[in-house]
Amino acid sequence: MSVDLTGFLGVVLLAYLVPGPDFLVIVRAAARRAALGRAAALGAQTGLCVHMCAASLGLSALAAGSAFAFTAVRLAGAAYLTYLGVRVLLGDRRTAREGAAGAAPQARARHGAATGSGHLRQDGAAIGSGTGTSADVPGSRRDSFVQGFLTNVLNPKAALFFLSVLPQFTRHGGAPAREVLLLGGLDIAVGVVYWLLLVRVATRLRALPARPAWRRRWERTTGWLFIALGVGVATAQ
């Protein structure tokens, strides 16, 4: 078996460098916590494994040949991206309301500390400790993995990559199962390295979203970007 590995790796790197839904999901998760970014990255690459296996078995070709199946996957992906955007925006509004509601008890706690009331000081500490973000809940890592997985597995462009781009780098222009698995495995390996490097960079952005004003802007921006991507996928032909 002979394949053009150099050309293929160049195309793969270029594809990863172009921001898409996976990029936004991983960066947003990494900006909250590095572990969440890694979970989202592994979820995205697991979704890519699904596309690779489907292509090697010929299932992707069958789905792409059916206008109904391909449209269904495309609309499902668009709906999921829109759902993520709405969820982010609603979460931002809920956080803002909780912050406003918690301001009064914290003010009373500070007043108690100033007047020497140990009881109020303890209450204030308890109240303050309850203002963590959703990144601190136990299920957030799993949630990030699922977001990365579904964003990728419902992306029809990922399936088309294995059907239209990958065969161009095989010796006979076809896509036998072994070559699909070889090139697909390289794609996934390159992606793992790239996403983990991106997570290291994105975690340095945590200082900005940690500030309330910046966090609100960040959440609103990413929420609307998810919605915009969903609309773009839904209207793509």
Side-chain angles (χ1 to χ4, degrees):
M1 179 177 60
S2 176
V3 294
D4 182 8
L5 292 180
T6 302
F8 178 73
L9 290 175
V11 170
V12 167
L13 285 173
L14 181 62
Y16 277 112
L17 290 174
V18 177
D22 293 349
F23 181 91
L24 184 57
V25 168
I26 293 169
V27 168
R28 181 176 182 274
R32 295 166 65 197
R33 200 166 70 215
L36 301 182
R38 289 191 292 267
L42 293 178
Q45 296 311 96
T46 303
L48 200 60
C49 287
V50 174
H51 287 294
M52 178 183 67
C53 293
S56 67
L57 296 174
L59 299 179
S60 294
L62 292 176
S66 169
F68 174 79
F70 187 78
T71 301
V73 172
R74 178 169 58 84
L75 293 180
Y80 184 68
L81 289 172
T82 304
Y83 159 76
L84 287 181
V86 172
R87 177 179 171 182
V88 170
L89 293 176
L90 292 178
D92 175 62
R93 293 182 59 183
R94 182 171 60 252
T95 300
R97 289 197 302 268
E98 291 175 351
Q106 290 179 14
R108 288 196 298 270
R110 287 193 296 268
H111 176 72
T115 57
S117 174
H119 176 70
L120 287 177
R121 286 169 60 185
Q122 292 175 357
D123 287 348
I127 293 171
S129 64
T131 58
T133 65
S134 59
D136 298 321
V137 300
S140 290
R141 190 176 301 179
R142 180 177 60 185
D143 187 50
S144 296
F145 179 90
V146 171
Q147 287 183 14
F149 176 79
L150 290 179
T151 299
N152 193 300
V153 83
L154 294 177
N155 185 358
K157 291 183 178 179
L160 289 176
F161 176 85
F162 284 94
L163 293 175
S164 60
V165 177
L166 187 148
Q168 299 178 29
F169 296 91
T170 61
R171 182 173 56 178
H172 302 294
R178 286 187 302 173
E179 293 187 356
V180 169
L181 293 175
L182 170 64
L183 296 179
L186 286 174
D187 184 352
I188 293 169
V190 169
V192 169
V193 175
Y194 172 75
W195 291 134
L196 293 182
L197 289 175
L198 180 66
V199 166
R200 290 178 62 90
V201 175
T203 51
R204 299 181 183 276
L205 300 175
R206 285 183 298 176
L208 291 179
R211 303 172 186 172
W214 278 100
R215 173 168 290 279
R216 286 194 295 271
R217 295 172 187 171
W218 171 258
E219 293 294 304
R220 291 170 187 170
T221 300
T222 54
W224 284 113
L225 283 175
F226 275 125
I227 294 174
L229 285 171
V231 173
V233 171
T235 56
Q237 299 296 330

